[in-house]
Amino acid sequence: MHQVRARLEDWLEPRGLRFNEEKTQVVHLDKGFDFLGFTVRRTGGKLIIKPSTAACARLRARLRTEVKTLHGSNAEAVLRRLIPIVRGWAAYYRAVASTTTFTSLDHYLWRLTFKWSRRRHRNKSRYWIVDRYFGQFHPSRRDRWVFGDRDSGAFLIKFAWTGIVRHQLVKGGASRTTPR
């Protein structure tokens, strides 16, 4: 492993770059490492890249604080605040193995929105709340547990609706730094 690091240092030096000793660690892929919100680890002979646990925890904390600040607001304000967060996070992590993570985050977001609606209508039953805020809002999906606003027709998209898009392989001679 250290031979690879020495070769990389030789490759970086003419470009005016070097490793940061405080941040650089050499680990085995079976142990894995976190980088830019992703966890890179070899499991069962395959290299698996997933959203990191810390990134998911940060997103959950952000969603929780956003919903808490919206106590007393209407459903349209909740949707206006949450939809860009969901779209952006799902778009960033859609190129890796994140299906399980997306499902887990959808469940967490459902609990947050259900608690928000229960708090907004303390004297109403949960059946009334489900009829008012949850339904089959998306025209082509048969999911009746989508949070939305019946007045405007707006609805909260789900993480799991984002398709996983694999990266395209780079052709062998495409890089100028690769020896031919």
Side-chain angles (χ1 to χ4, degrees):
M1 287 191 271
H2 295 287
Q3 299 98 351
V4 173
R5 181 176 175 159
R7 284 179 53 199
L8 283 172
E9 286 174 346
D10 293 341
W11 185 82
L12 290 171
E13 186 178 352
R15 292 162 177 81
L17 303 171
R18 61 182 174 81
F19 284 114
N20 184 340
E21 298 300 326
E22 296 172 1
K23 296 180 181 180
T24 305
Q25 6 172 335
V26 178
V27 296
H28 198 277
L29 272 180
D30 290 341
K31 181 183 174 195
F33 61 93
D34 287 352
F35 182 69
L36 296 176
F38 297 96
T39 296
V40 180
R41 176 176 287 160
R42 184 169 48 207
T43 309
K46 290 184 179 180
L47 183 69
I48 305 293
I49 304 172
K50 295 180 170 182
S52 70
T53 306
C56 293
R58 282 193 306 270
L59 176 68
R60 283 188 165 112
R62 181 176 179 194
L63 290 171
R64 187 171 50 248
T65 57
E66 293 288 343
V67 171
K68 276 186 182 180
T69 59
L70 292 167
H71 286 321
S73 299
N74 59 4
E76 188 179 350
V78 172
L79 292 170
R80 235 180 298 123
R81 186 78 61 92
L82 294 181
I83 288 174
I85 297 170
V86 172
R87 279 190 197 276
W89 207 86
Y92 184 70
Y93 289 101
R94 74 179 181 182
V96 296
S98 49
T99 304
T100 307
T101 305
F102 284 175
T103 304
S104 172
L105 290 171
D106 282 335
H107 181 67
Y108 182 75
L109 196 54
W110 181 88
R111 283 191 322 216
L112 281 178
T113 54
F114 187 75
K115 283 170 67 175
W116 172 87
S117 55
R118 289 286 302 257
R119 188 176 197 281
R120 180 153 168 79
H121 303 283
R122 292 182 190 272
N123 296 327
K124 299 291 185 179
S125 70
R126 63 178 182 254
Y127 303 107
W128 185 92
I129 289 171
V130 167
D131 286 341
R132 167 123 181 187
Y133 291 109
F134 295 91
Q136 190 175 336
F137 287 99
H138 195 282
S140 63
R141 299 212 178 247
R142 302 195 47 83
D143 187 357
R144 69 180 202 99
W145 290 105
V146 178
F147 179 77
D149 182 20
R150 296 223 183 264
D151 298 333
S152 66
F155 58 91
L156 183 62
I157 62 168
K158 292 191 172 192
F159 287 97
W161 292 351
T162 304
I164 305 299
V165 179
R166 298 291 178 221
H167 66 282
Q168 289 189 338
L169 294 176
V170 178
K171 299 201 170 154
S175 174
R176 287 180 280 153
T177 60
T178 304
R180 298 184 201 309

Short mmCIF file of all heavy atoms in Angstrom, two decimals, residues 49-75:
data_model
loop_
_atom_site.label_atom_id
_atom_site.label_comp_id
_atom_site.label_asym_id
_atom_site.label_seq_id
_atom_site.Cartn_x
_atom_site.Cartn_y
_atom_site.Cartn_z
N ILE A 49 -19.99 1.58 -3.10
CA ILE A 49 -19.95 2.98 -2.68
C ILE A 49 -21.38 3.35 -2.29
O ILE A 49 -22.31 3.19 -3.08
CB ILE A 49 -19.44 3.88 -3.81
CG1 ILE A 49 -18.06 3.41 -4.27
CG2 ILE A 49 -19.37 5.33 -3.34
CD1 ILE A 49 -17.56 4.12 -5.51
N LYS A 50 -21.53 3.85 -1.07
CA LYS A 50 -22.84 4.22 -0.53
C LYS A 50 -22.77 5.61 0.09
O LYS A 50 -21.68 6.09 0.39
CB LYS A 50 -23.25 3.25 0.59
CG LYS A 50 -23.48 1.84 0.19
CD LYS A 50 -23.86 1.05 1.43
CE LYS A 50 -24.33 -0.33 1.09
NZ LYS A 50 -24.74 -1.06 2.28
N PRO A 51 -23.92 6.22 0.35
CA PRO A 51 -23.90 7.44 1.15
C PRO A 51 -23.40 7.11 2.56
O PRO A 51 -23.77 6.08 3.13
CB PRO A 51 -25.37 7.87 1.19
CG PRO A 51 -25.99 7.21 0.02
CD PRO A 51 -25.25 5.94 -0.19
N SER A 52 -22.56 7.96 3.11
CA SER A 52 -21.98 7.66 4.42
C SER A 52 -23.03 7.85 5.52
O SER A 52 -24.00 8.60 5.36
CB SER A 52 -20.78 8.56 4.69
OG SER A 52 -21.18 9.88 4.90
N THR A 53 -22.80 7.18 6.61
CA THR A 53 -23.69 7.27 7.76
C THR A 53 -23.72 8.70 8.30
O THR A 53 -24.77 9.20 8.69
CB THR A 53 -23.23 6.30 8.86
OG1 THR A 53 -23.12 4.99 8.30
CG2 THR A 53 -24.20 6.26 10.01
N ALA A 54 -22.56 9.36 8.30
CA ALA A 54 -22.50 10.74 8.79
C ALA A 54 -23.30 11.67 7.89
O ALA A 54 -23.98 12.58 8.38
CB ALA A 54 -21.04 11.19 8.86
N ALA A 55 -23.25 11.46 6.58
CA ALA A 55 -24.02 12.30 5.66
C ALA A 55 -25.51 12.11 5.87
O ALA A 55 -26.29 13.07 5.84
CB ALA A 55 -23.64 11.99 4.22
N CYS A 56 -25.93 10.87 6.09
CA CYS A 56 -27.35 10.60 6.36
C CYS A 56 -27.78 11.23 7.67
O CYS A 56 -28.89 11.78 7.76
CB CYS A 56 -27.61 9.10 6.38
SG CYS A 56 -27.38 8.30 4.79
N ALA A 57 -26.92 11.18 8.67
CA ALA A 57 -27.24 11.79 9.96
C ALA A 57 -27.37 13.31 9.82
O ALA A 57 -28.26 13.93 10.42
CB ALA A 57 -26.19 11.43 11.00
N ARG A 58 -26.48 13.92 9.03
CA ARG A 58 -26.57 15.37 8.80
C ARG A 58 -27.86 15.73 8.09
O ARG A 58 -28.52 16.72 8.42
CB ARG A 58 -25.37 15.85 7.98
CG ARG A 58 -24.09 16.00 8.74
CD ARG A 58 -23.05 16.76 7.94
NE ARG A 58 -22.79 16.19 6.63
CZ ARG A 58 -21.87 15.27 6.37
NH1 ARG A 58 -21.12 14.80 7.34
NH2 ARG A 58 -21.71 14.82 5.13
N LEU A 59 -28.25 14.92 7.10
CA LEU A 59 -29.50 15.19 6.38
C LEU A 59 -30.69 15.05 7.31
O LEU A 59 -31.60 15.88 7.29
CB LEU A 59 -29.66 14.26 5.19
CG LEU A 59 -30.98 14.41 4.45
CD1 LEU A 59 -31.06 15.75 3.75
CD2 LEU A 59 -31.20 13.28 3.49
N ARG A 60 -30.71 14.01 8.12
CA ARG A 60 -31.82 13.81 9.06
C ARG A 60 -31.92 14.99 10.03
O ARG A 60 -33.02 15.47 10.32
CB ARG A 60 -31.65 12.50 9.81
CG ARG A 60 -32.01 11.30 8.98
CD ARG A 60 -32.01 10.04 9.83
NE ARG A 60 -32.68 9.00 9.11
CZ ARG A 60 -32.09 7.91 8.64
NH1 ARG A 60 -30.81 7.74 8.84
NH2 ARG A 60 -32.78 7.01 7.99
N ALA A 61 -30.78 15.44 10.52
CA ALA A 61 -30.79 16.59 11.44
C ALA A 61 -31.31 17.84 10.73
O ALA A 61 -32.08 18.62 11.31
CB ALA A 61 -29.39 16.83 11.99
N ARG A 62 -30.91 18.03 9.49
CA ARG A 62 -31.38 19.21 8.74
C ARG A 62 -32.88 19.13 8.49
O ARG A 62 -33.60 20.12 8.67
CB ARG A 62 -30.64 19.32 7.42
CG ARG A 62 -31.07 20.53 6.64
CD ARG A 62 -30.31 20.71 5.37
NE ARG A 62 -30.81 21.89 4.68
CZ ARG A 62 -30.54 22.16 3.43
NH1 ARG A 62 -29.75 21.37 2.74
NH2 ARG A 62 -31.03 23.23 2.86
N LEU A 63 -33.37 17.97 8.07
CA LEU A 63 -34.80 17.82 7.84
C LEU A 63 -35.58 18.05 9.14
O LEU A 63 -36.62 18.71 9.14
CB LEU A 63 -35.11 16.42 7.29
CG LEU A 63 -34.65 16.15 5.86
CD1 LEU A 63 -34.83 14.68 5.53
CD2 LEU A 63 -35.38 17.02 4.87
N ARG A 64 -35.07 17.52 10.23
CA ARG A 64 -35.73 17.68 11.53
C ARG A 64 -35.81 19.16 11.92
O ARG A 64 -36.87 19.64 12.32
CB ARG A 64 -34.98 16.87 12.58
CG ARG A 64 -35.63 16.79 13.92
CD ARG A 64 -34.93 15.80 14.84
NE ARG A 64 -33.49 15.99 14.92
CZ ARG A 64 -32.59 15.13 14.45
NH1 ARG A 64 -32.97 14.02 13.87
NH2 ARG A 64 -31.29 15.37 14.57
N THR A 65 -34.72 19.90 11.76
CA THR A 65 -34.74 21.32 12.14
C THR A 65 -35.63 22.13 11.20
O THR A 65 -36.31 23.05 11.63
CB THR A 65 -33.32 21.92 12.16
OG1 THR A 65 -32.71 21.72 10.89
CG2 THR A 65 -32.49 21.28 13.24
N GLU A 66 -35.61 21.77 9.90
CA GLU A 66 -36.48 22.49 8.96
C GLU A 66 -37.96 22.29 9.32
O GLU A 66 -38.74 23.25 9.31
CB GLU A 66 -36.23 22.01 7.53
CG GLU A 66 -34.89 22.35 6.96
CD GLU A 66 -34.72 23.83 6.65
OE1 GLU A 66 -35.73 24.54 6.56
OE2 GLU A 66 -33.57 24.26 6.49
N VAL A 67 -38.34 21.07 9.63
CA VAL A 67 -39.74 20.80 9.97
C VAL A 67 -40.10 21.48 11.30
O VAL A 67 -41.20 22.01 11.44
CB VAL A 67 -40.02 19.28 10.00
CG1 VAL A 67 -41.39 18.99 10.56
CG2 VAL A 67 -39.91 18.70 8.60
N LYS A 68 -39.16 21.50 12.25
CA LYS A 68 -39.44 22.16 13.53
C LYS A 68 -39.65 23.65 13.35
O LYS A 68 -40.49 24.25 14.03
CB LYS A 68 -38.30 21.91 14.52
CG LYS A 68 -38.41 20.61 15.25
CD LYS A 68 -37.35 20.50 16.31
CE LYS A 68 -37.45 19.17 17.00
NZ LYS A 68 -36.44 19.00 18.04
N THR A 69 -38.89 24.27 12.45
CA THR A 69 -39.07 25.71 12.23
C THR A 69 -40.39 26.01 11.52
O THR A 69 -40.84 27.15 11.54
CB THR A 69 -37.92 26.31 11.41
OG1 THR A 69 -37.86 25.66 10.14
CG2 THR A 69 -36.59 26.16 12.13
N LEU A 70 -40.98 25.00 10.91
CA LEU A 70 -42.22 25.20 10.17
C LEU A 70 -43.47 24.88 10.99
O LEU A 70 -44.56 24.81 10.43
CB LEU A 70 -42.22 24.34 8.90
CG LEU A 70 -41.19 24.78 7.86
CD1 LEU A 70 -41.02 23.71 6.80
CD2 LEU A 70 -41.61 26.08 7.23
N HIS A 71 -43.33 24.69 12.30
CA HIS A 71 -44.51 24.50 13.13
C HIS A 71 -45.39 25.74 13.03
O HIS A 71 -44.91 26.86 13.16
CB HIS A 71 -44.14 24.27 14.60
CG HIS A 71 -43.56 22.92 14.88
ND1 HIS A 71 -44.02 21.76 14.29
CD2 HIS A 71 -42.55 22.54 15.68
CE1 HIS A 71 -43.34 20.74 14.73
NE2 HIS A 71 -42.42 21.18 15.57
N GLY A 72 -46.64 25.55 12.75
CA GLY A 72 -47.56 26.66 12.59
C GLY A 72 -47.71 27.11 11.14
O GLY A 72 -48.58 27.92 10.84
N SER A 73 -46.88 26.59 10.25
CA SER A 73 -47.00 26.94 8.83
C SER A 73 -47.98 25.99 8.15
O SER A 73 -48.34 24.96 8.70
CB SER A 73 -45.64 26.82 8.14
OG SER A 73 -44.72 27.70 8.72
N ASN A 74 -48.37 26.35 6.94
CA ASN A 74 -49.28 25.47 6.20
C ASN A 74 -48.48 24.44 5.41
O ASN A 74 -47.26 24.49 5.33
CB ASN A 74 -50.20 26.29 5.30
CG ASN A 74 -49.44 27.11 4.29
OD1 ASN A 74 -48.22 27.04 4.19
ND2 ASN A 74 -50.16 27.91 3.53
N ALA A 75 -49.18 23.50 4.79
CA ALA A 75 -48.54 22.41 4.06
C ALA A 75 -47.75 22.92 2.86
O ALA A 75 -46.70 22.37 2.51
CB ALA A 75 -49.58 21.39 3.61
#
